[in-house]
Amino acid sequence: MNIENNKIIKFMNEHLLGPMGKMANFRFVRAIMAAGLASIPFTIVGSMMLVLNVIPMAFPQLQGIWNASFVHFTPLYMTINYASMGALALYFNIVLGYEYTKIIATEEKLNMTPMNGALLSMFAFFMTLPELVVKNGTVEVISKAVKDGAGTVSGFSVTSSGLNRLGTAGIFVGIIMAVLAVKLYQLAVKHNWVIKMPPQVPTGVANAFTALIPAFLVGFVVVIIEGLLVFVGTDIFNVIALPFSFVTNLTNTWLGILVIVFLVHFLWVMGIHGANIIGAFYTPIALANFAANYKGAHYVFAGEFMNMFVIIGGSGATLGIVIWMAFRARSAQLKVLSRTAIVPAFFNINEPIVFGCPIVYNPILMFPFILAPMVTATTSYWAIKLGLVGKVIAQMPWPSPLGIGAFIGTGGDWKAAVLAVINVFLAFLVWYPLMKMYDNKLLAQEKANQTSEQK
């Protein structure tokens, strides 16, 4: 079918793709995605230490062995968790500052050093960590012990204030401080508010002095902002918590999750990488939620919830239909395509299907591509919400095979693996009627082409 003749596709092209395409190219969005990707190794390694702690809950028969071995070393191996999940906001902040500076410097041809951007971002973020209060006209630091869920000291200084803010609780502040610091750095460089060194000075020394005035600027601006807020009885963390807590709560409703799933897949069928755009906004929330789950919260939308339960096989939840295509498709195009794509599909990789069928701009397949993951999101949401399946407490690599990521990510809940398999079947039921229709259409075209060639 000709795209231009399809009124729905034409309308979306003219009125929706422009704004979404621009959003995909926002420097901020690209930098956030880079920060999220860079944090993945730390979240996975750190959360695996949490899995060690919950294994006896999943397999009670191992409790005795656990008490005689691993329990004695818990404070030691949990330092991996404290240094990863416990400092996740710091990783986000530094990488975002680095990537954002690199993008601006490259695209605007400015003499900005990514490392300076990263350090300025960290500088701004660290200034927000102490919890300050005004008493009798004097600014004081609130002293709090840093403890984990079991009530034992996690590390660092017991009297340190604000160190818990380095973890997932500080992700949004870390992001905002990085953007503020880099924009101030950009402003200083654009207006030549920098110290220029002679050409004979080594590059490293020259770069250090280039960041001197921007550092003063960042420090001054953050102190002014923080000071004003402290004197009215709050601080940056508390102010930012208000709008972001609303967004976080929205993402943890059934309708909120359906909106996320719809937007991701709607953008995909329009040729835009929906996961990159929407993921830039929900990834920090999902990371914070799964860390909170381990401490007793019950968030559904946490960690790799999407890849564990919703989009098994890749965007569109295509694993089931790819298996069907490999063995039952009649058209040569789908047979060859599916046999190439079936192995990657088990690892949540389905670009061959998205662009090979194609699903992009396909008025027949776009509907199951959007609807199937909305169905699996619904079953997954209510299964976890009602306690039928364990909540996500560990971060798994997104390409984890069917059921394995769900099993480990929920701390060894076998029902989570069963739910993943059920979702594959449900998604297949959504896909089957229209994919079979599309297969017959391709087969008819192939036969018509063969007939015309014979003539």
Side-chain angles (χ1 to χ4, degrees):
M1 182 180 294
N2 191 316
I3 295 174
E4 294 302 318
N5 291 334
N6 188 290
K7 293 183 179 180
I8 297 177
I9 298 293
K10 187 176 180 180
F11 174 82
M12 290 188 289
N13 263 324
E14 293 177 352
H15 300 282
L16 299 174
L17 286 190
M20 291 300 180
K22 290 179 181 178
M23 184 180 293
N25 290 317
F26 282 171
R27 296 167 179 170
F28 169 75
V29 172
R30 286 181 280 155
I32 282 282
M33 286 308 300
L37 291 173
S39 69
I40 287 175
F42 301 100
T43 58
I44 292 174
V45 172
S47 62
M48 285 301 97
M49 299 303 104
L50 300 181
V51 172
L52 281 177
N53 282 355
V54 300
I55 283 180
M57 303 177 192
F59 305 99
Q61 59 271 26
L62 298 177
Q63 186 71 56
I65 299 175
W66 223 253
N67 290 340
S69 56
F70 281 94
V71 168
H72 298 290
F73 304 98
T74 298
L76 179 62
Y77 67 72
M78 280 300 288
T79 56
I80 298 176
N81 177 267
Y82 306 142
S84 53
M85 296 304 301
L88 189 58
L90 181 60
Y91 296 127
F92 246 88
N93 170 264
I94 292 174
V95 178
L96 178 57
Y98 184 94
E99 292 291 338
Y100 198 29
T101 303
K102 184 170 70 173
I103 292 170
I104 292 174
T106 301
E107 296 183 358
E108 295 193 14
K109 309 299 181 184
L110 294 176
N111 186 24
M112 299 172 65
T113 306
M115 184 56 70
N116 282 345
L119 294 176
L120 289 170
S121 299
M122 183 175 65
F123 173 50
F125 181 44
F126 273 1
M127 292 175 65
T128 67
L129 295 181
E131 298 181 61
L132 305 176
V133 64
V134 178
K135 289 185 178 179
N136 301 320
T138 303
V139 178
E140 298 180 3
V141 178
I142 300 175
S143 179
K144 291 183 178 180
V146 183
K147 296 184 177 182
D148 62 19
T152 57
V153 176
S154 300
F156 307 108
S157 171
V158 178
T159 59
S160 295
S161 172
L163 283 177
N164 59 314
R165 292 179 165 186
L166 286 173
T168 52
I171 287 179
F172 294 116
V173 176
I175 289 172
I176 290 173
M177 287 299 104
V179 173
L180 175 64
V182 173
K183 295 302 287 185
L184 290 173
Y185 183 25
Q186 178 189 14
L187 178 68
V189 172
K190 270 189 172 182
H191 291 82
N192 287 318
W193 300 341
V194 294
I195 298 175
K196 295 183 179 180
M197 304 298 288
Q200 297 82 3
V201 176
T203 303
V205 177
N207 288 338
F209 277 91
T210 300
L212 185 58
I213 294 178
F216 273 111
L217 183 60
V218 169
F220 179 76
V221 171
V222 175
V223 162
I224 292 297
I225 295 173
E226 183 77 345
L228 290 174
L229 292 174
V230 168
F231 274 96
V232 296
T234 185
D235 64 8
I236 292 175
F237 269 81
N238 292 324
V239 170
I240 290 176
L242 294 175
F244 281 107
S245 62
F246 171 77
V247 175
T248 300
N249 292 334
L250 185 64
T251 60
N252 287 291
T253 64
W254 173 53
L255 290 178
I257 291 176
L258 288 187
V259 169
I260 291 173
V261 173
F262 172 80
L263 290 175
V264 168
H265 291 83
F266 170 76
L267 293 176
W268 260 122
V269 297
M270 294 296 102
I272 298 174
H273 200 306
N276 275 355
I277 297 176
I278 308 303
F281 299 99
Y282 73 64
T283 296
I285 296 173
L287 290 174
N289 285 354
F290 98 80
N293 277 351
Y294 181 76
K295 297 177 182 178
H298 193 92
Y299 292 112
V300 174
F301 191 78
E304 288 296 334
F305 168 80
M306 294 283 281
N307 288 302
M308 290 177 185
F309 301 111
V310 179
I311 53 172
I312 302 171
S315 295
T318 55
L319 178 58
I321 199 63
V322 169
I323 295 173
W324 176 85
M325 287 162 55
F327 296 98
R328 301 294 294 174
R330 301 172 63 197
S331 65
Q333 177 179 330
L334 293 188
K335 282 182 180 179
V336 174
L337 178 64
S338 60
R339 289 168 188 173
T340 303
I342 191 169
V343 173
F346 277 95
F347 297 91
N348 293 337
I349 300 170
N350 71 342
E351 277 78 2
I353 297 298
V354 172
F355 297 104
C357 273
I359 293 170
V360 174
Y361 288 120
N362 190 322
I364 296 177
L365 299 183
M366 64 183 290
F367 295 105
F369 184 80
I370 294 174
L371 182 59
M374 295 181 74
V375 170
T376 56
T378 298
T379 57
S380 303
Y381 175 84
W382 290 110
I384 297 175
K385 185 72 174 179
L386 298 176
L388 303 176
V389 171
K391 59 192 178 184
V392 179
I393 62 168
Q395 181 81 338
M396 292 297 296
W398 64 265
S400 298
L402 170 65
I404 296 177
F407 177 76
I408 299 177
T410 54
D413 187 354
W414 62 270
K415 297 187 295 297
V418 172
L419 174 62
V421 174
I422 291 173
N423 280 345
V424 170
F425 179 70
L426 292 176
F428 167 74
L429 293 180
V430 175
W431 272 100
Y432 177 72
L434 288 173
M435 183 59 81
K436 186 174 178 61
M437 179 192 304
Y438 186 62
D439 182 40
N440 290 335
K441 177 182 177 182
L442 291 178
L443 180 63
Q445 290 176 349
E446 290 170 359
K447 289 182 176 178
N449 291 337
Q450 289 176 357
T451 302
S452 62
E453 289 175 0
Q454 290 173 357
K455 292 182 178 179

